[in-house]
Coordinates of all heavy atoms in Angstrom, one line a residue:
M1 N 110.1 114.8 91.8 CA 109.6 115.0 90.4 C 108.7 113.8 90.1 O 109.1 112.7 90.3 CB 110.9 115.0 89.5 CG 110.5 115.3 88.1 SD 110.1 117.0 87.9 CE 110.6 117.3 86.3
P2 N 107.5 114.1 89.6 CA 106.6 112.9 89.3 C 107.2 112.1 88.1 O 107.9 112.6 87.2 CB 105.3 113.6 88.9 CG 105.7 115.0 88.5 CD 106.9 115.4 89.3
E3 N 106.8 110.9 88.1 CA 107.2 110.0 87.0 C 106.1 110.1 85.9 O 105.0 109.5 86.0 CB 107.3 108.5 87.6 CG 107.6 107.5 86.5 CD 108.9 107.8 85.7 OE1 109.9 108.1 86.2 OE2 108.7 107.8 84.4
L4 N 106.4 110.8 84.9 CA 105.4 111.2 83.9 C 104.9 109.9 83.1 O 103.7 109.9 82.7 CB 106.0 112.2 82.8 CG 106.4 113.5 83.5 CD1 107.0 114.5 82.4 CD2 105.3 114.2 84.2
S5 N 105.7 108.9 83.0 CA 105.2 107.7 82.3 C 104.1 107.0 83.1 O 103.4 106.2 82.5 CB 106.3 106.7 82.1 OG 106.8 106.3 83.3
R6 N 103.9 107.4 84.4 CA 102.9 106.8 85.2 C 101.6 107.6 85.2 O 100.6 107.2 85.8 CB 103.3 106.7 86.6 CG 104.5 105.7 86.8 CD 105.0 105.7 88.2 NE 106.0 104.7 88.4 CZ 105.8 103.6 89.0 NH1 104.6 103.3 89.4 NH2 106.8 102.7 89.2
L7 N 101.6 108.7 84.5 CA 100.3 109.5 84.5 C 99.2 108.8 83.8 O 99.4 108.0 82.8 CB 100.6 110.8 83.7 CG 101.4 111.9 84.4 CD1 101.7 113.0 83.4 CD2 100.7 112.4 85.6
P8 N 98.0 108.9 84.3 CA 96.8 108.3 83.6 C 96.7 108.8 82.2 O 97.1 109.9 81.8 CB 95.6 108.7 84.5 CG 96.1 109.5 85.6 CD 97.6 109.8 85.4
V9 N 96.0 108.0 81.4 CA 95.8 108.4 80.0 C 94.9 109.6 80.0 O 94.1 109.8 80.9 CB 95.1 107.2 79.2 CG1 96.1 106.1 79.0 CG2 93.8 106.8 79.8
P10 N 95.1 110.4 78.9 CA 94.3 111.7 78.9 C 92.9 111.6 78.6 O 92.4 112.1 77.5 CB 95.1 112.6 77.9 CG 95.7 111.5 77.0 CD 96.0 110.3 77.8
V11 N 92.1 110.9 79.4 CA 90.7 110.8 79.2 C 90.0 111.5 80.4 O 90.5 111.4 81.5 CB 90.1 109.4 79.0 CG1 90.7 108.8 77.7 CG2 90.5 108.5 80.2
T12 N 88.9 112.1 80.2 CA 88.2 112.8 81.2 C 88.0 112.0 82.5 O 88.2 112.6 83.6 CB 86.8 113.3 80.7 OG1 87.0 113.9 79.5 CG2 86.2 114.3 81.7
E13 N 87.6 110.8 82.4 CA 87.3 110.0 83.6 C 88.6 109.8 84.5 O 88.4 109.7 85.7 CB 86.9 108.6 83.2 CG 85.6 108.5 82.5 CD 85.7 108.9 81.0 OE1 86.8 108.8 80.4 OE2 84.6 109.4 80.5
S14 N 89.8 109.9 84.0 CA 91.0 109.8 84.8 C 91.3 111.0 85.6 O 92.1 111.0 86.5 CB 92.2 109.4 83.9 OG 91.9 108.2 83.2
W15 N 90.7 112.1 85.2 CA 91.1 113.4 85.8 C 90.0 114.1 86.5 O 90.2 115.1 87.1 CB 91.8 114.3 84.7 CG 93.0 113.7 84.1 CD1 93.1 113.0 83.0 CD2 94.3 113.8 84.7 NE1 94.4 112.6 82.8 CE2 95.2 113.1 83.8 CE3 94.9 114.5 85.8 CZ2 96.5 113.0 84.0 CZ3 96.3 114.3 86.0 CH2 97.1 113.6 85.1
D16 N 88.7 113.7 86.2 CA 87.5 114.3 86.7 C 87.6 114.6 88.2 O 87.0 115.6 88.7 CB 86.3 113.5 86.4 CG 85.5 114.0 85.2 OD1 86.0 115.0 84.6 OD2 84.5 113.5 84.9
W17 N 88.2 113.8 89.0 CA 88.2 113.9 90.5 C 88.8 115.3 90.8 O 88.4 115.9 91.8 CB 88.9 112.8 91.1 CG 90.4 112.7 90.7 CD1 90.9 111.9 89.7 CD2 91.5 113.3 91.3 NE1 92.2 112.0 89.6 CE2 92.7 112.9 90.6 CE3 91.7 114.2 92.4 CZ2 94.0 113.4 90.9 CZ3 92.9 114.7 92.7 CH2 94.1 114.3 92.0
Q18 N 89.7 115.8 90.0 CA 90.4 117.1 90.3 C 89.4 118.2 90.4 O 89.6 119.2 91.0 CB 91.5 117.4 89.4 CG 92.6 116.4 89.5 CD 93.9 116.8 88.7 OE1 93.9 117.7 88.0 NE2 94.9 116.0 88.9
L19 N 88.3 118.1 89.6 CA 87.3 119.2 89.6 C 86.5 119.3 90.9 O 85.9 120.3 91.2 CB 86.3 118.9 88.5 CG 86.8 118.8 87.1 CD1 85.8 118.4 86.1 CD2 87.4 120.2 86.7
R20 N 86.6 118.2 91.7 CA 85.8 118.2 93.0 C 86.7 118.4 94.2 O 86.3 118.3 95.3 CB 85.1 116.9 93.1 CG 84.1 116.6 92.0 CD 83.1 115.4 92.2 NE 83.8 114.2 92.7 CZ 84.3 113.3 91.9 NH1 84.4 113.5 90.6 NH2 84.9 112.2 92.4
G21 N 88.0 118.7 94.0 CA 88.9 118.9 95.1 C 88.6 120.1 95.9 O 88.3 121.2 95.3
S22 N 88.8 120.0 97.2 CA 88.5 121.2 98.0 C 89.5 122.3 97.8 O 89.3 123.4 98.3 CB 88.5 120.7 99.5 OG 87.5 119.8 99.7
C23 N 90.7 121.9 97.2 CA 91.7 122.9 97.0 C 91.4 123.7 95.7 O 92.1 124.7 95.5 CB 93.1 122.3 96.9 SG 93.2 121.0 95.6
R24 N 90.5 123.3 94.9 CA 90.2 124.0 93.7 C 89.8 125.4 93.9 O 89.0 125.7 94.7 CB 89.1 123.2 93.0 CG 88.9 123.7 91.5 CD 88.0 122.7 90.8 NE 87.8 123.2 89.4 CZ 88.6 123.1 88.4 NH1 89.7 122.4 88.6 NH2 88.3 123.6 87.2
G25 N 90.5 126.3 93.2 CA 90.2 127.7 93.3 C 91.0 128.4 94.5 O 90.9 129.6 94.7
R26 N 91.6 127.6 95.3 CA 92.4 128.2 96.4 C 93.8 128.6 96.0 O 94.3 128.1 95.0 CB 92.5 127.2 97.6 CG 91.1 127.0 98.3 CD 91.3 126.1 99.5 NE 90.1 125.7 100.1 CZ 89.6 126.3 101.2 NH1 90.3 127.2 101.8 NH2 88.5 125.9 101.7
D27 N 94.4 129.3 96.8 CA 95.8 129.7 96.5 C 96.7 128.5 96.5 O 96.9 127.8 97.6 CB 96.2 130.7 97.6 CG 97.6 131.3 97.4 OD1 98.3 130.8 96.4 OD2 98.0 132.2 98.2
S28 N 97.3 128.2 95.4 CA 98.2 127.0 95.3 C 99.4 127.1 96.2 O 100.0 126.0 96.5 CB 98.5 126.7 93.9 OG 99.3 127.8 93.4
S29 N 99.8 128.3 96.6 CA 101.0 128.4 97.4 C 100.8 127.8 98.8 O 101.8 127.6 99.6 CB 101.5 129.8 97.6 OG 100.5 130.6 98.3
L30 N 99.6 127.5 99.2 CA 99.3 126.8 100.4 C 99.7 125.3 100.3 O 100.1 124.7 101.3 CB 97.8 126.9 100.7 CG 97.3 126.4 102.1 CD1 98.1 127.1 103.2 CD2 95.8 126.6 102.3
F31 N 99.6 124.8 99.1 CA 99.9 123.3 98.9 C 101.3 123.1 98.3 O 101.8 121.9 98.4 CB 98.9 122.8 97.9 CG 97.5 122.7 98.5 CD1 96.7 123.8 98.5 CD2 97.0 121.5 99.1 CE1 95.4 123.8 99.1 CE2 95.8 121.5 99.7 CZ 95.0 122.6 99.7
F32 N 101.9 124.1 97.8 CA 103.3 123.9 97.2 C 104.2 124.9 97.8 O 104.0 126.1 97.7 CB 103.2 124.1 95.7 CG 102.3 123.1 95.0 CD1 101.0 123.4 94.7 CD2 102.8 121.8 94.7 CE1 100.2 122.5 94.1 CE2 101.9 120.8 94.2 CZ 100.6 121.2 93.9
H33 N 105.3 124.4 98.3 CA 106.3 125.4 99.0 C 107.0 126.3 98.1 O 107.2 125.9 96.9 CB 107.2 124.6 99.9 CG 108.2 123.7 99.1 ND1 109.3 124.3 98.5 CD2 108.2 122.4 98.8 CE1 110.0 123.3 97.9 NE2 109.3 122.2 98.1
Q34 N 107.4 127.4 98.6 CA 108.2 128.3 97.9 C 109.7 127.9 98.0 O 110.0 127.2 99.0 CB 108.1 129.7 98.5 CG 106.7 130.3 98.4 CD 106.2 130.4 96.9 OE1 107.0 131.0 96.1 NE2 105.1 129.9 96.6
P35 N 110.6 128.3 97.1 CA 112.0 127.9 97.3 C 112.5 128.4 98.6 O 112.1 129.5 99.1 CB 112.7 128.7 96.1 CG 111.6 129.0 95.2 CD 110.3 129.1 95.9
H36 N 113.3 127.6 99.3 CA 114.0 127.9 100.5 C 113.0 128.0 101.7 O 113.4 128.3 102.8 CB 114.7 129.3 100.5 CG 115.6 129.4 99.2 ND1 116.6 128.5 99.0 CD2 115.6 130.2 98.2 CE1 117.2 128.8 97.8 NE2 116.6 129.9 97.3
E37 N 111.8 127.6 101.6 CA 110.9 127.5 102.7 C 111.3 126.3 103.6 O 111.5 125.2 103.1 CB 109.4 127.3 102.3 CG 108.5 127.3 103.5 CD 107.1 126.8 103.0 OE1 107.0 125.6 102.7 OE2 106.1 127.5 103.1
R38 N 111.5 126.5 104.9 CA 112.0 125.5 105.8 C 111.3 125.5 107.1 O 110.5 126.5 107.4 CB 113.5 125.7 106.0 CG 114.4 125.6 104.8 CD 114.7 124.2 104.4 NE 115.7 124.1 103.3 CZ 115.4 124.3 102.0 NH1 114.2 124.5 101.6 NH2 116.3 124.2 101.1
G39 N 111.6 124.5 107.9 CA 111.2 124.6 109.4 C 109.8 124.8 109.7 O 108.9 124.2 109.0
S40 N 109.5 125.6 110.7 CA 108.2 125.7 111.2 C 107.2 126.4 110.2 O 106.0 126.2 110.2 CB 108.2 126.5 112.5 OG 108.7 127.8 112.3
V41 N 107.8 127.3 109.4 CA 107.0 127.9 108.3 C 106.4 126.9 107.4 O 105.2 126.9 107.1 CB 107.8 129.0 107.5 CG1 107.0 129.6 106.4 CG2 108.3 130.1 108.5
R42 N 107.3 125.9 107.0 CA 106.8 124.9 106.1 C 105.8 124.0 106.8 O 104.7 123.6 106.3 CB 108.0 124.0 105.6 CG 107.5 122.9 104.6 CD 108.6 122.1 104.1 NE 109.3 122.9 103.1 CZ 110.0 122.3 102.1 NH1 110.1 121.0 102.0 NH2 110.7 123.0 101.2
Q43 N 106.1 123.6 108.0 CA 105.2 122.7 108.8 C 103.8 123.4 109.0 O 102.8 122.7 108.8 CB 105.8 122.4 110.2 CG 107.0 121.5 110.1 CD 107.7 121.3 111.5 OE1 107.3 122.0 112.4 NE2 108.6 120.4 111.5
E44 N 103.8 124.6 109.3 CA 102.5 125.3 109.5 C 101.7 125.4 108.2 O 100.5 125.2 108.2 CB 102.7 126.7 110.1 CG 103.1 126.6 111.6 CD 103.7 127.8 112.1 OE1 103.5 128.9 111.5 OE2 104.4 127.8 113.1
R45 N 102.4 125.7 107.1 CA 101.7 125.8 105.8 C 101.1 124.4 105.4 O 100.0 124.3 105.0 CB 102.7 126.3 104.7 CG 102.0 126.4 103.3 CD 102.9 126.6 102.2 NE 104.1 125.6 102.2 CZ 104.0 124.4 101.9 NH1 102.9 123.8 101.5 NH2 105.1 123.6 102.0
E46 N 102.0 123.4 105.6 CA 101.5 122.0 105.3 C 100.3 121.6 106.2 O 99.4 121.0 105.7 CB 102.6 121.0 105.5 CG 103.5 120.9 104.2 CD 104.3 119.6 104.2 OE1 104.2 118.7 105.1 OE2 105.1 119.5 103.3
A47 N 100.4 122.0 107.4 CA 99.3 121.7 108.3 C 98.0 122.3 107.9 O 96.9 121.7 107.9 CB 99.6 122.1 109.8
R48 N 98.1 123.6 107.4 CA 96.8 124.3 106.9 C 96.3 123.6 105.7 O 95.1 123.4 105.5 CB 97.1 125.8 106.7 CG 97.4 126.6 107.9 CD 97.2 128.1 107.7 NE 98.1 128.6 106.6 CZ 99.4 128.9 106.8 NH1 100.0 128.8 107.9 NH2 100.0 129.4 105.7
A49 N 97.2 123.2 104.8 CA 96.8 122.5 103.6 C 96.1 121.2 103.9 O 95.1 120.8 103.4 CB 98.0 122.3 102.6
K50 N 96.7 120.4 104.8 CA 96.2 119.1 105.2 C 94.8 119.3 105.8 O 94.0 118.4 105.7 CB 97.1 118.4 106.2 CG 98.4 117.9 105.5 CD 99.3 117.3 106.6 CE 100.6 116.8 106.0 NZ 101.5 116.3 107.0
Q51 N 94.6 120.4 106.5 CA 93.3 120.6 107.1 C 92.2 120.7 106.0 O 91.1 120.2 106.2 CB 93.4 121.9 107.9 CG 92.5 122.0 109.1 CD 92.8 123.2 110.0 OE1 93.6 124.0 109.6 NE2 92.2 123.2 111.1
I52 N 92.6 121.3 104.9 CA 91.6 121.4 103.8 C 91.4 120.0 103.2 O 90.3 119.6 102.9 CB 92.2 122.4 102.8 CG1 92.2 123.8 103.3 CG2 91.3 122.3 101.5 CD1 92.9 124.8 102.5
C53 N 92.5 119.3 103.1 CA 92.4 117.9 102.5 C 91.5 117.0 103.3 O 90.8 116.2 102.8 CB 93.8 117.3 102.5 SG 95.0 118.0 101.3
R54 N 91.5 117.2 104.7 CA 90.7 116.3 105.5 C 89.2 116.4 105.2 O 88.5 115.4 105.4 CB 91.0 116.6 107.0 CG 92.2 115.9 107.6 CD 92.2 115.9 109.1 NE 92.6 117.2 109.6 CZ 93.8 117.6 109.7 NH1 94.8 116.9 109.4 NH2 94.1 118.8 110.2
Q55 N 88.8 117.5 104.7 CA 87.4 117.7 104.3 C 87.1 117.4 102.8 O 86.0 117.5 102.4 CB 87.0 119.2 104.6 CG 87.3 119.7 105.9 CD 86.7 119.0 107.1 OE1 85.5 118.6 107.0 NE2 87.4 118.8 108.1
C56 N 88.1 117.0 102.1 CA 88.0 116.9 100.7 C 87.3 115.6 100.3 O 87.6 114.5 100.7 CB 89.4 116.9 100.1 SG 89.4 116.8 98.3
P57 N 86.3 115.7 99.4 CA 85.6 114.5 98.9 C 86.4 113.6 98.0 O 86.0 112.4 97.8 CB 84.4 115.1 98.2 CG 84.8 116.4 97.7 CD 85.8 116.9 98.8
V58 N 87.5 114.0 97.5 CA 88.3 113.2 96.6 C 89.7 112.9 97.2 O 90.6 112.6 96.5 CB 88.4 113.8 95.2 CG1 87.0 113.7 94.5 CG2 89.0 115.2 95.2
L59 N 89.8 112.9 98.5 CA 91.1 112.7 99.2 C 91.7 111.3 98.7 O 92.9 111.3 98.4 CB 90.9 112.7 100.7 CG 92.2 112.5 101.5 CD1 92.2 113.3 102.8 CD2 92.5 111.1 101.8
R60 N 90.9 110.3 98.7 CA 91.4 109.0 98.3 C 92.0 109.0 96.9 O 93.0 108.4 96.6 CB 90.4 107.9 98.5 CG 90.0 107.7 100.0 CD 88.9 106.7 100.2 NE 89.4 105.4 99.7 CZ 88.6 104.3 99.8 NH1 87.5 104.3 100.4 NH2 89.1 103.2 99.4
E61 N 91.2 109.6 96.0 CA 91.6 109.6 94.5 C 92.9 110.4 94.4 O 93.8 110.0 93.6 CB 90.5 110.2 93.7 CG 89.3 109.4 93.5 CD 88.2 109.6 94.6 OE1 88.6 110.1 95.7 OE2 87.0 109.4 94.3
C62 N 92.9 111.5 95.1 CA 94.1 112.4 95.1 C 95.4 111.7 95.6 O 96.4 111.7 95.0 CB 93.8 113.7 95.9 SG 95.2 114.9 95.9
R63 N 95.2 111.0 96.7 CA 96.3 110.3 97.3 C 96.8 109.2 96.4 O 98.0 109.0 96.2 CB 95.9 109.7 98.6 CG 97.1 109.1 99.4 CD 96.7 108.6 100.7 NE 96.4 109.7 101.6 CZ 96.1 109.6 102.9 NH1 96.0 108.4 103.4 NH2 95.9 110.7 103.7
A64 N 95.8 108.4 95.8 CA 96.2 107.3 94.9 C 96.9 107.9 93.7 O 97.9 107.3 93.2 CB 94.9 106.6 94.5
H65 N 96.5 109.0 93.2 CA 97.1 109.6 92.0 C 98.6 110.0 92.4 O 99.5 109.6 91.6 CB 96.4 110.8 91.6 CG 97.1 111.6 90.5 ND1 97.1 111.3 89.2 CD2 97.9 112.7 90.7 CE1 97.8 112.2 88.5 NE2 98.3 113.1 89.4
A66 N 98.8 110.6 93.5 CA 100.1 111.1 93.9 C 101.1 109.9 94.1 O 102.2 109.9 93.6 CB 100.0 111.9 95.2
L67 N 100.6 108.8 94.7 CA 101.4 107.7 94.9 C 101.7 106.9 93.6 O 102.8 106.4 93.3 CB 100.8 106.7 95.9 CG 100.7 107.3 97.3 CD1 99.9 106.4 98.2 CD2 102.1 107.7 97.9
T68 N 100.7 106.9 92.7 CA 100.9 106.2 91.4 C 101.9 107.0 90.5 O 102.8 106.3 89.9 CB 99.6 106.2 90.6 OG1 98.6 105.4 91.4 CG2 99.7 105.5 89.3
V69 N 101.8 108.3 90.4 CA 102.8 109.0 89.6 C 104.0 109.4 90.4 O 104.9 110.0 89.8 CB 102.1 110.3 89.0 CG1 100.9 109.9 88.2 CG2 101.8 111.4 90.0
E70 N 104.1 109.0 91.6 CA 105.2 109.3 92.5 C 105.5 110.8 92.6 O 106.6 111.3 92.4 CB 106.4 108.5 92.0 CG 106.2 107.0 92.0 CD 107.3 106.1 91.7 OE1 108.4 106.7 91.2 OE2 107.2 104.9 91.9
E71 N 104.4 111.5 92.9 CA 104.5 113.0 93.1 C 105.1 113.3 94.5 O 104.5 112.8 95.5 CB 103.1 113.5 93.0 CG 103.0 115.0 93.1 CD 103.8 115.8 92.1 OE1 103.4 115.9 90.9 OE2 104.9 116.3 92.4
T72 N 106.1 114.0 94.5 CA 106.7 114.4 95.8 C 106.8 115.9 96.0 O 107.5 116.3 97.0 CB 108.1 113.7 96.0 OG1 108.9 114.2 94.9 CG2 108.1 112.2 96.0
Y73 N 106.2 116.6 95.2 CA 106.2 118.1 95.4 C 104.8 118.5 95.8 O 103.9 118.4 95.0 CB 106.7 118.8 94.1 CG 106.6 120.3 94.2 CD1 107.3 121.0 95.2 CD2 106.0 121.0 93.2 CE1 107.2 122.3 95.3 CE2 105.9 122.4 93.3 CZ 106.5 123.1 94.3 OH 106.5 124.4 94.4
G74 N 104.7 119.0 97.0 CA 103.4 119.6 97.4 C 102.7 118.6 98.3 O 103.1 117.6 98.6
V75 N 101.5 119.1 98.7 CA 100.6 118.3 99.6 C 99.6 117.7 98.7 O 98.9 118.4 97.9 CB 99.9 119.2 100.6 CG1 98.8 118.4 101.4 CG2 100.9 119.7 101.6
W76 N 99.4 116.4 98.7 CA 98.5 115.6 97.9 C 97.8 114.6 98.8 O 98.4 113.9 99.5 CB 99.2 114.9 96.8 CG 99.8 115.7 95.7 CD1 101.0 116.4 95.9 CD2 99.4 116.0 94.4 NE1 101.3 117.1 94.7 CE2 100.3 116.8 93.8 CE3 98.2 115.6 93.7 CZ2 100.1 117.3 92.5 CZ3 98.1 116.0 92.4 CH2 99.0 116.8 91.8
G77 N 96.5 114.6 98.7 CA 95.7 113.6 99.4 C 96.0 113.6 100.9 O 96.0 112.6 101.6
G78 N 96.2 114.8 101.4 CA 96.4 114.9 102.9 C 97.8 114.5 103.3 O 98.1 114.4 104.5
L79 N 98.7 114.3 102.4 CA 100.1 113.9 102.8 C 101.1 114.9 102.3 O 100.9 115.5 101.2 CB 100.4 112.5 102.1 CG 99.6 111.3 102.4 CD1 100.0 110.2 101.6 CD2 99.7 111.0 103.9
G80 N 102.0 115.2 103.2 CA 103.1 116.2 102.9 C 104.2 115.5 102.1 O 104.2 114.2 101.9
E81 N 105.2 116.2 101.7 CA 106.2 115.7 100.9 C 107.0 114.6 101.5 O 107.3 113.6 100.9 CB 107.2 116.8 100.5 CG 106.5 117.9 99.6 CD 107.4 119.0 99.1 OE1 108.6 119.0 99.5 OE2 106.9 119.9 98.4
G82 N 107.3 114.7 102.8 CA 108.1 113.7 103.5 C 107.3 112.4 103.6 O 107.8 111.3 103.4
E83 N 106.0 112.5 103.8 CA 105.1 111.3 103.9 C 105.0 110.6 102.5 O 105.0 109.4 102.4 CB 103.7 111.7 104.4 CG 103.8 112.2 105.8 CD 102.6 113.0 106.2 OE1 102.2 113.9 105.4 OE2 102.0 112.8 107.3
L84 N 104.9 111.5 101.5 CA 104.8 110.9 100.1 C 106.1 110.2 99.8 O 106.0 109.0 99.3 CB 104.5 112.0 99.1 CG 103.1 112.6 99.1 CD1 103.1 113.9 98.3 CD2 102.1 111.6 98.6
R85 N 107.2 110.8 100.1 CA 108.5 110.1 99.8 C 108.6 108.8 100.5 O 109.1 107.8 100.0 CB 109.6 111.0 100.2 CG 110.0 112.0 99.2 CD 111.4 112.6 99.4 NE 111.3 113.9 98.7 CZ 111.0 115.1 99.3 NH1 110.8 115.1 100.6 NH2 111.0 116.2 98.6
K86 N 108.2 108.8 101.8 CA 108.3 107.5 102.6 C 107.4 106.4 101.9 O 107.9 105.3 101.8 CB 107.8 107.8 104.0 CG 108.4 106.9 105.0 CD 108.0 107.3 106.4 CE 108.8 108.5 106.9 NZ 108.4 108.9 108.3
L87 N 106.2 106.8 101.6 CA 105.3 105.7 101.0 C 105.8 105.3 99.7 O 105.7 104.1 99.3 CB 103.9 106.3 100.9 CG 103.1 106.4 102.3 CD1 101.8 107.1 102.1 CD2 102.9 105.0 102.9
I88 N 106.3 106.2 98.9 CA 106.7 105.8 97.5 C 108.0 104.9 97.7 O 108.1 103.9 97.0 CB 107.1 107.1 96.7 CG1 105.7 107.8 96.3 CG2 107.9 106.7 95.4 CD1 105.9 109.2 95.8
S89 N 108.8 105.3 98.6 CA 110.0 104.5 98.8 C 109.7 103.1 99.3 O 110.2 102.1 98.8 CB 110.9 105.2 99.8 OG 111.9 104.3 100.3
R90 N 108.7 103.0 100.1 CA 108.2 101.7 100.6 C 107.6 100.9 99.5 O 107.8 99.7 99.5 CB 107.1 102.0 101.7 CG 106.9 100.8 102.6 CD 105.9 101.1 103.7 NE 106.4 102.1 104.6 CZ 105.6 102.8 105.5 NH1 104.3 102.6 105.5 NH2 106.2 103.7 106.3
N91 N 107.0 101.5 98.5 CA 106.5 100.8 97.4 C 107.6 100.2 96.5 O 107.5 99.1 95.9 CB 105.6 101.7 96.5 CG 104.3 102.0 97.2 OD1 103.9 101.3 98.1 ND2 103.6 103.0 96.7
H92 N 108.7 100.9 96.5 CA 109.9 100.4 95.8 C 110.7 99.3 96.5 O 111.3 98.5 95.9 CB 110.8 101.5 95.4 CG 110.3 102.4 94.3 ND1 110.4 102.0 93.0 CD2 109.7 103.6 94.3 CE1 109.9 102.9 92.2 NE2 109.4 103.9 93.0
H93 N 110.6 99.4 97.8 CA 111.4 98.5 98.7 C 110.5 97.9 99.7 O 110.6 98.2 100.9 CB 112.6 99.2 99.3 CG 113.4 100.0 98.4 ND1 114.2 99.4 97.5 CD2 113.5 101.3 98.2 CE1 114.8 100.3 96.8 NE2 114.4 101.5 97.2
P94 N 109.5 97.0 99.3 CA 108.6 96.5 100.3 C 109.3 95.6 101.3 O 110.3 94.9 101.0 CB 107.6 95.6 99.5 CG 108.2 95.5 98.2 CD 109.3 96.5 98.0
A95 N 108.9 95.7 102.6 CA 109.6 94.9 103.7 C 109.4 93.4 103.5 O 108.5 92.9 102.9 CB 109.0 95.3 105.0
Ligands
SF4_101 S1 93.0 115.9 98.9 FE1 93.9 117.9 99.2 S2 95.3 118.2 97.5 FE2 93.9 116.5 96.9 S3 92.3 117.4 95.8 FE3 91.6 117.3 97.9 S4 92.2 119.3 98.8 FE4 93.3 119.1 96.9

């Protein structure tokens, strides 16, 4: 669940990058899992989503946003949920 208090202020400049995302207009179910999706089905869906992210001109902005708001649902910035959780946890408990 994202930490809503970390969302950027509601000004166009903070959100404009989303207009340039390669996922824009695509089926969102590729980026967000359905309830009870597990195992290889989830891995393959995430892999297809990440393939789109790799070509995305705003990958860095998207990833920074996800890590800032601590988004752990879906594929963001080329990272899956497990990767997002790991990086967010690392930010809370730096070595
Ligand atoms: S990096 Fe991936 S999830 Fe983020 S805007 Fe681009 S295509 Fe969409």
Side-chain angles (χ1 to χ4, degrees):
M1 185 73 151
E3 177 53 52
L4 299 181
S5 65
R6 294 172 175 263
L7 286 172
V9 291
V11 295
T12 309
E13 294 77 24
S14 300
W15 298 93
D16 258 3
W17 60 268
Q18 294 190 353
L19 299 174
R20 303 192 309 279
S22 297
C23 55
R24 192 168 174 80
R26 291 184 186 258
D27 183 356
S28 62
S29 67
L30 188 57
F31 291 83
F32 300 96
H33 68 80
Q34 298 298 309
H36 311 302
E37 183 194 65
R38 299 281 186 275
S40 62
V41 173
R42 180 179 288 205
Q43 287 174 353
E44 286 163 20
R45 180 193 48 74
E46 275 197 4
R48 290 197 306 276
K50 289 176 181 179
Q51 210 167 9
I52 294 169
C53 293
R54 276 196 283 279
Q55 311 297 322
C56 182
V58 292
L59 183 146
R60 292 176 65 175
E61 290 90 335
C62 180
R63 185 176 291 184
H65 170 81
L67 295 175
T68 299
V69 305
E70 301 186 347
E71 181 60 76
T72 57
Y73 176 52
V75 172
W76 292 76
L79 299 174
E81 295 182 0
E83 294 159 315
L84 288 166
R85 276 197 203 92
K86 205 176 284 180
L87 287 171
I88 290 165
S89 168
R90 201 176 291 163
N91 287 343
H92 285 281
H93 309 287

